């Protein structure tokens, strides 16, 4: 290793140690061992512009081992991103730009939120899919006398033993190898240490052979300090165009410290004495904190000029592209900016009662196919359930190694990886992404759904078979707690439409809000609400609305969602026949309703009127709307295997039971 390279690497290590020590919190060992890998990527290979972290054709870097965040912060600071040294000194403190784990949207240069192990690994697969898809749609290299590649970048990542132990990495790696994502390159920090001790306690697989079996290109570097060997392995990976690559680098956690190869260096400060000894080992000033030699700063900030030139070359290419392909250029500009055309929703279907009852999953499928031509970068798929979730785009090809422009993604039975992959596709920019499965299997996806909300990723989750209406499949497939548990995730809008028209408006909301939204859709057919006689279209956009008002004095409000709205309407008719004025409020989305002005909320749900909710799921949470004197008809137990109509009846989702409960509420 040349002197300047060694000095840069040791400076990164010193910044990591000092940041953790000052915070008295963090993970110093991983950055110390992995510093040469990170330096090699940022200094020699990564195409990025520190002065414009949002340049569309930049390479993406994912620190899947997010606990080693100081490695990334040091690299970003030293290469010239807007991350002053004071922010490293303020590591893990309130209001700093250097939180304990990297957070998307919080720190310039951080592409995704990582820390829950394995999520970043799968995110990288999503970034690579988005790059390949957009390149296929917009690049025009063939048959041209000029280079018109607008999308041509790599996804880099550093992953850890912990990442590779998590099941999501198996799911994501298998899919990435199947798809042959050649622009995905990971460096594996093989330091043999986890929190409990040596990884041999629970991890003995042959990682290179594992990834070879996934159809990955594999390189092995025996010495994590051998920068030349790391660079050579990366060069070999870049030459492989039809397989993703993993470079297994044998490193030493806490390298150079008295705690080298000790699990104690994983998740706690090293201590001042150990830091002094380590800096002496590195040949750095032992008493200097957050020390950056001028020659290190000058060398690493070379990334600024390289990045400026790379982006300028790309801008020139884009200008020529606009002249040659003006219509495609307009589509590209709009896609990258996340802007919709004024008429994107012109083909949204409006359903009529005379068309018959429609399952909301079927309505969703019709909507997807109605809007796809006006949203050319809409791409998505299902975890092996597309025929059931109705998420296939008809007339469109499958995304695969042979066709990067296909818009139908097949994730296989890999719900969690699907979630993290779709998250990254949404973060990448340029695509509108969705993923689908049965609602009950959202359990498998929950870590990714939570991160989707934390990052405010523009991801759309299509969950079908949303209640005991699933019927014969029984309790294992009948979601009970799932809708309300998803509503418990901050910043995730959950919409459970009552009919086909509410479903169409749900998609309008999802596309225009550009934030995560989960659909809860039925397998069974539901009657269609009349858009000419009800407020279904405009009302859905407000989260809740008066579907049918009381005839006479208002004495009771029935709140319902999804398939239970029809039941509420039938119960209203029966109660009105007894002279009881009943209002039915359809509440497809609590979160959007909460965003409405207080006056509108009070108008729909006046405080002095008794309220009862009806939803085929747990009743917990409905008191927010019914009040402490209200009532809830729901299901606070697991379901049963029988035909769906019979299951609904046995569990009290009948007009007779709703009327009886209503009368009891009014008599209190």
């Amino acid at each position: 290793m040349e002197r300047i390279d060694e000095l840069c690497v040791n400076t990164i290590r010193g910044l990591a140690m000092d940041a953790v020590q000052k915070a008295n919190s963090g993970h110093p060992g991983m950055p110390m061992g992995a510093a040469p890998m990170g330096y090699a990527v940022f200094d020699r290979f990564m195409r990025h512009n520190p002065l414009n972290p949002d340049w569309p054709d930049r390479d993406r870097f994912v620190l899947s081992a997010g606990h080693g965040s100081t490695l990334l912060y040091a690299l970003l600071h030293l290469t010239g991103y807007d991350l002053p040294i004071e922010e490293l000194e303020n590591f893990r403190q309130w209001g700093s730009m250097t939180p304990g784990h990297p957070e998307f949207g919080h720190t310039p240069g951080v592409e995704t939120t990582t820390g829950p192990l394995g999520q970043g690994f799968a995110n990288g697969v999503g970034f690579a899919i988005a790059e390949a898809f957009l390149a296929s749609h917009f690049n025009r290299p063939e048959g041209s006398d000029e280079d018109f590649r607008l999308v041509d970048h790599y996804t880099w990542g550093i992953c850890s033993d912990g990442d590779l132990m998590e099941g999501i990495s198996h799911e994501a790696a298998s899919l990435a190898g199947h798809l042959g994502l050649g622009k995905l390159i990971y460096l594996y920090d093989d330091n043999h240490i986890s929190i409990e001790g040596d990884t041999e306690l629970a991890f003995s697989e042959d990682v290179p052979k594992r990834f070879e079996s996934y159809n990955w290109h594999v390189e092995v570097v025996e010495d994590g300090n051998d920068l030349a060997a790391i660079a050579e392995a990366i060069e070999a990976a870049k030459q492989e165009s039809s397989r993703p690559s993993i470079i297994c680098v044998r490193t030493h956690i806490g390298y150079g410290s008295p705690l080298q190869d000790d699990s104690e260096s994983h998740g706690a400060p090293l201590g001042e004495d150990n830091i002094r000894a380590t800096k002496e080992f590195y040949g750095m000033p032992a008493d200097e904190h957050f020390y950056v030699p001028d020659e290190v700063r000058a060398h690493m900030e070379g990334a600024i000029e390289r990045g400026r030139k790379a982006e300028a070359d790309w801008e020139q290419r884009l200008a020529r592209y606009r002249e040659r392909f003006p219509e495609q250029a307009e589509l590209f500009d709009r896609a990258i900016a996340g802007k919709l055309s004024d008429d994107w929703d012109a083909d949204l279907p409006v359903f009529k009662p005379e068309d018959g009852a429609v399952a909301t999953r079927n309505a969703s499928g019709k909507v997807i196919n109605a809007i796809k031509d006006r949203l050319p970068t809409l791409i998505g798929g299902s975890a092996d359930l597309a025929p059931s979730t109705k998420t296939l785009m008809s007339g469109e090809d499958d995304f695969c190694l042979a066709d990067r422009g296909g818009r139908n993604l097949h994730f296989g039975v890999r719900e969690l990886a699907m979630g993290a992959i779709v998250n990254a596709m949404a973060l990448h920019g340029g695509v509108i992404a969705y993923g689908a499965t049965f609602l009950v299997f959202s359990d498998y996806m929950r870590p990714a759904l939570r991160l989707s909300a934390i990052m405010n990723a523009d991801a759309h989750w299509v969950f079908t078979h949303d209640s005991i209406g699933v019927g014969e499949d029984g309790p294992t497939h009948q979601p009970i707690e799932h809708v309300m548990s998803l509503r418990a995730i901050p910043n995730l809008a959950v919409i459970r439409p009552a009919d086909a028209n509410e479903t169409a408006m749900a998609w309008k909301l999802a596309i225009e809000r550009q934030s995560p939204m989960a659909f809860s859709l039925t397998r069974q057919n539901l009657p269609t609400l009349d858009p000419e006689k009800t407020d279904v279209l405009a009302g859905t956009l407000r989260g809740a609305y008066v579907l049918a008002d009381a005839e006479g004095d208002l004495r009771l409000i029935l709140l319902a969602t999804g398939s239970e709205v029809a039941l509420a309407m039938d119960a209203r008719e029966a109660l009105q026949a007894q002279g009881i004025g009943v209002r039915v409020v359809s509440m497809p989305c609590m979160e959007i309703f909460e965003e409405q002005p207080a006056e509108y909320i009070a108008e729909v749900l006046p405080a002095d009127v008794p309220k009862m909710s009806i939803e085929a799921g747990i009743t917990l949470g409905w008191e927010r709307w019914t009040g402490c004197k209200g009532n809830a008809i729901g299901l606070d137990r697991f379901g049963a295997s029988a035909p769906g109509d019979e299951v609904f009846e046995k569990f009290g989702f009948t007009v007779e039971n709703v009327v009886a409960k209503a009368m009891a509420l009014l008599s209190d």
Side-chain angles (χ1 to χ4, degrees):
M1 190 184 300
E2 294 186 10
R3 178 184 174 279
I4 184 60
D5 294 325
E6 184 176 8
L7 192 57
C8 289
V9 168
N10 288 336
T11 299
I12 293 167
R13 289 164 165 158
L15 290 174
M17 286 189 294
D18 287 342
V20 172
Q21 186 64 34
K22 185 175 181 184
N24 195 30
S25 175
H27 302 74
M30 179 270 176
M32 295 164 68
M37 292 190 291
Y39 171 72
V41 172
F42 270 73
D43 186 67
R44 300 190 180 184
F45 293 96
M46 205 164 81
R47 194 165 150 269
H48 61 123
N49 184 359
L51 299 185
N52 183 12
D54 297 325
W55 170 36
D57 200 33
R58 68 193 181 278
D59 286 0
R60 270 59 170 181
F61 178 83
V62 179
L63 183 66
S64 190
H67 57 278
S69 58
T70 51
L71 170 62
L72 180 55
Y73 298 148
L75 288 166
L76 294 174
H77 167 72
L78 293 171
T79 52
Y81 284 79
D82 185 15
L83 190 66
I85 192 69
E86 291 79 12
E87 295 296 337
L88 275 71
E89 294 172 354
N90 208 25
F91 177 56
R92 288 193 168 213
Q93 304 308 299
W94 181 268
S96 78
M97 296 168 64
T98 50
H101 294 84
E103 296 181 20
F104 171 77
H106 191 78
T107 310
V110 171
E111 301 284 1
T112 181
T113 298
T114 57
L117 290 173
Q119 292 285 326
F121 186 101
N123 286 159
V125 178
F127 284 133
I129 289 174
E131 191 275 342
F133 175 75
L134 290 171
S136 176
H137 275 263
F138 292 109
N139 290 356
R140 293 291 182 272
E142 295 182 9
S144 300
D145 55 357
E146 293 186 77
D147 178 6
F148 289 113
R149 288 174 296 169
L150 299 186
V151 185
D152 185 15
H153 54 263
Y154 282 84
T155 298
W156 306 89
I158 292 180
C159 59
S160 64
D161 293 302
D163 287 295
L164 299 191
M165 290 185 208
E166 287 285 358
I168 187 174
S169 72
H170 297 254
E171 295 181 21
S174 176
L175 182 60
H178 174 76
L179 294 175
L181 300 173
K183 288 187 176 179
L184 177 63
I185 300 175
Y186 282 138
L187 293 99
Y188 163 38
D189 178 30
D190 182 17
N191 65 32
H192 291 203
I193 296 293
S194 61
I195 290 176
E196 293 184 355
D198 196 295
T199 52
E200 68 180 8
L201 292 169
F203 188 61
S204 56
E205 66 200 47
D206 188 323
V207 171
K209 287 183 179 178
R210 168 185 159 190
F211 277 83
E212 286 173 1
S213 75
Y214 289 146
N215 192 39
W216 283 55
H217 169 77
V218 177
E219 295 282 335
V220 176
V221 175
E222 297 293 348
D223 180 1
N225 290 307
D226 189 341
L227 199 60
I230 293 171
E232 184 179 347
I234 292 175
E235 289 286 5
K238 290 190 68 174
Q239 296 303 311
E240 175 58 64
S241 61
S242 61
R243 290 184 295 169
S245 295
I246 188 167
I247 302 168
C248 303
V249 184
R250 178 66 174 99
T251 62
H252 296 275
I253 195 168
Y255 175 76
S257 78
L259 297 178
Q260 177 176 316
D261 294 330
D262 192 319
S263 61
E264 288 188 25
S265 70
H266 170 82
L270 297 179
E272 289 290 356
D273 290 343
N274 285 331
I275 289 177
R276 284 179 57 85
T278 306
K279 289 179 178 178
E280 290 174 356
F281 174 81
Y282 294 157
M284 300 179 69
D287 294 320
E288 291 275 0
H289 299 293
F290 297 96
Y291 176 65
V292 180
D294 291 342
E295 56 191 309
V296 168
R297 192 172 298 283
H299 176 82
M300 294 197 69
E301 285 185 353
I304 295 175
E305 183 55 36
R306 293 194 300 271
R308 184 187 288 117
K309 182 180 185 305
E311 184 173 358
D313 291 346
W314 179 82
E315 288 285 359
Q316 292 177 6
R317 193 155 58 246
L318 177 59
R320 296 194 303 270
Y321 187 97
R322 287 197 177 104
E323 293 178 1
R324 184 76 68 88
F325 312 107
E327 292 183 4
Q328 281 296 102
E330 182 180 355
L331 288 175
F332 178 80
D333 290 339
R334 194 161 59 233
I336 293 300
K339 293 182 179 179
L340 302 168
S341 63
D342 293 338
D343 62 349
W344 81 266
D345 58 350
D347 299 323
L348 271 176
V350 176
F351 299 85
K352 299 179 180 179
E354 55 265 32
D355 296 333
V358 182
T360 53
R361 64 165 177 165
N362 291 344
S364 173
K366 292 179 180 179
V367 173
I368 289 172
N369 280 283
I371 65 178
K372 68 179 178 66
D373 291 339
R374 293 182 186 268
L375 297 174
T377 60
L378 178 69
I379 177 175
S382 174
D384 197 48
L385 290 170
S388 296
T389 57
K390 308 301 179 185
T391 44
L392 280 174
M393 285 186 258
S394 61
E396 300 292 339
D397 294 329
D398 297 331
F399 180 91
C400 59
L401 178 59
D403 186 356
R404 298 307 200 194
R407 300 172 68 184
N408 288 311
L409 274 168
H410 297 278
F411 292 99
V413 188
R414 304 182 180 101
E415 291 89 352
L416 181 51
M418 175 180 71
I421 289 168
V422 169
N423 279 343
M425 293 173 66
L427 295 178
H428 180 280
V431 301
I432 302 172
Y434 64 85
T437 187
F438 292 170
L439 178 58
V440 76
F441 299 141
S442 65
D443 283 341
Y444 287 132
M445 296 176 59
R446 196 169 185 88
L449 295 174
R450 185 171 185 270
L451 284 171
S452 181
I454 287 175
M455 297 186 288
N456 196 36
D458 184 19
H460 311 307
W461 310 111
V462 181
F463 298 125
T464 68
H465 296 58
D466 77 337
S467 74
I468 52 176
V470 172
E472 292 88 345
D473 280 337
T476 61
H477 282 55
Q478 293 171 0
I480 302 299
E481 72 279 20
H482 296 74
V483 171
M484 197 59 79
S485 73
L486 292 178
R487 289 174 181 145
I489 300 176
N491 200 45
L492 176 65
V494 181
I495 191 157
R496 189 169 186 249
D499 83 325
N501 285 310
E502 284 196 3
T503 304
M505 292 300 100
W507 270 105
K508 180 176 174 65
L509 279 167
I511 298 297
E512 292 183 344
R513 282 173 67 86
Q514 297 187 335
S515 60
M517 177 170 280
F519 294 73
S520 176
L521 306 174
T522 67
R523 183 179 73 170
Q524 72 272 28
N525 291 335
L526 304 180
T528 300
L529 300 172
D530 193 335
E532 296 181 1
K533 297 179 180 179
T534 68
D535 200 25
V536 57
L537 300 181
T540 302
L541 299 179
R542 305 196 75 169
Y545 62 100
V546 177
L547 176 60
D549 215 344
E551 298 172 13
D553 294 337
L554 175 59
R555 296 185 57 196
L556 176 69
I557 297 175
L558 295 177
L559 284 146
T561 75
S563 52
E564 288 68 69
V565 170
L567 172 59
M569 291 290 283
D570 291 342
R572 171 189 174 274
E573 185 177 345
L575 287 163
Q576 286 285 171
Q578 298 183 43
I580 299 172
V582 177
R583 169 183 291 180
V584 172
V585 171
S586 177
M587 186 179 279
C589 186
M590 292 183 180
E591 294 81 10
I592 292 175
F593 186 55
E594 285 181 306
E595 296 171 0
Q596 303 307 305
E599 295 79 11
Y600 178 75
I601 294 175
E603 179 185 334
V604 174
L605 299 176
D608 58 347
V609 180
K611 304 170 186 68
M612 185 164 69
S613 64
I614 312 172
E615 185 173 64
I618 60 172
T619 58
L620 176 70
W622 273 108
E623 63 275 4
R624 163 72 175 82
W625 305 107
T626 62
C628 59
K629 293 184 179 180
N631 199 356
I633 294 178
L635 202 60
D636 292 315
R637 55 150 289 176
F638 295 115
S641 178
D645 290 343
E646 184 178 357
V647 176
F648 272 114
E649 180 183 356
K650 295 294 186 182
F651 285 128
F653 291 92
T654 64
V655 170
E656 294 77 16
N657 187 47
V658 174
V659 169
K661 296 283 188 181
M663 297 299 286
L665 177 61
L666 293 174
S667 66
D668 287 345

